[in-house]
Amino acid sequence: MKRIGIMSDTHGYLHPRVFDFFSKCDEIWHAGDIGSLELIDTLSNFKPTRAVWGNIDDHRIRSFLPEKLIFDCEGLSVMIIHIAGRPGKYSREVKETIKSHRPGLLVAGHSHILQVQFDAAEKLMFINPGAAGIHGFHHKLTMLRLVVDAGQMKDLEVFEIDRNNVIT
């Protein structure tokens, strides 16, 4: 059993409550648009962190992190990529990766919109944790945590804070 914290689109900003919300997590997964290597260092020094680069990330981040990750977590095949599309409207590359690797969980970012949806056509759970940073059109900072146990996801929890209440 592993407790996982999931975030995306920090754009260089870490809300102080990230550390409380992820305190009992075994790993953090970041789905891109990180904003700085310092942010990844901070997360990695706090908890083991898996991350991919996003479209706003510079050459330093892109040379340090992959564009996508495919791995096993407690018997669940996981794919993390920043830009995936959404159920029924995945990019061509994502469709091909789904077909070849058959992940049970697809984690993506980019849209800044929190979305958790079972994709029956692809037989996978699609998760976009929304945006945890302060840059973008979103009104709420959001992150997720869940438990992966014996190939199953459970105990999904949402962190949400009004962007107007953010201290910078």
Side-chain angles (χ1 to χ4, degrees):
M1 179 181 81
K2 280 195 179 176
R3 292 174 182 85
I4 308 297
I6 303 174
M7 65 189 329
S8 184
D9 295 278
T10 48
H11 292 256
Y13 176 79
L14 271 181
H15 191 281
R17 289 181 52 198
V18 165
F19 304 103
D20 289 334
F21 187 66
F22 290 161
S23 66
K24 293 184 177 150
C25 292
D26 300 302
E27 290 183 9
I28 297 171
W29 299 347
H30 195 303
D33 277 4
I34 296 155
S36 72
L37 283 176
E38 293 77 20
L39 189 144
I40 281 297
D41 287 344
T42 300
L43 287 176
S44 296
N45 288 329
F46 174 59
K47 297 284 180 177
T49 301
R50 298 178 193 251
V52 298
W53 57 260
N55 58 294
I56 68 108
D57 293 319
D58 66 15
H59 70 281
R60 292 180 341 138
I61 293 171
R62 289 177 188 220
S63 67
F64 184 72
L65 297 173
E67 180 181 12
K68 70 181 166 196
L69 286 169
I70 299 168
F71 58 95
D72 179 87
C73 177
E74 300 292 306
L76 176 68
S77 178
V78 179
M79 176 181 170
I80 303 175
I81 190 166
H82 183 61
I83 300 175
R86 62 183 190 277
K89 296 191 182 263
Y90 298 120
S91 70
R92 191 181 89 249
E93 175 194 352
V94 169
K95 284 181 191 176
E96 290 171 3
T97 304
I98 289 170
K99 188 174 184 173
S100 63
H101 291 281
R102 308 307 303 166
L105 172 60
L106 170 56
V107 178
H110 189 63
S111 72
H112 292 222
I113 299 168
L114 174 64
Q115 183 179 4
V116 177
Q117 178 182 341
F118 182 70
D119 182 344
E122 299 296 344
K123 298 178 181 72
L124 61 80
M125 182 64 73
F126 174 83
I127 292 180
N128 186 319
I134 55 175
H135 299 288
F137 64 87
H138 58 281
H139 298 285
K140 305 273 186 192
L141 275 64
T142 56
M143 298 175 281
L144 302 172
R145 65 182 174 201
L146 55 80
V147 172
V148 179
D149 189 13
Q152 301 295 313
M153 294 162 278
K154 61 183 182 179
D155 301 333
L156 177 72
E157 297 175 85
V158 177
F159 171 93
E160 178 181 274
I161 188 168
D162 191 325
R163 195 163 120 182
N164 293 330
N165 295 330
V166 171
I167 301 166
T168 56

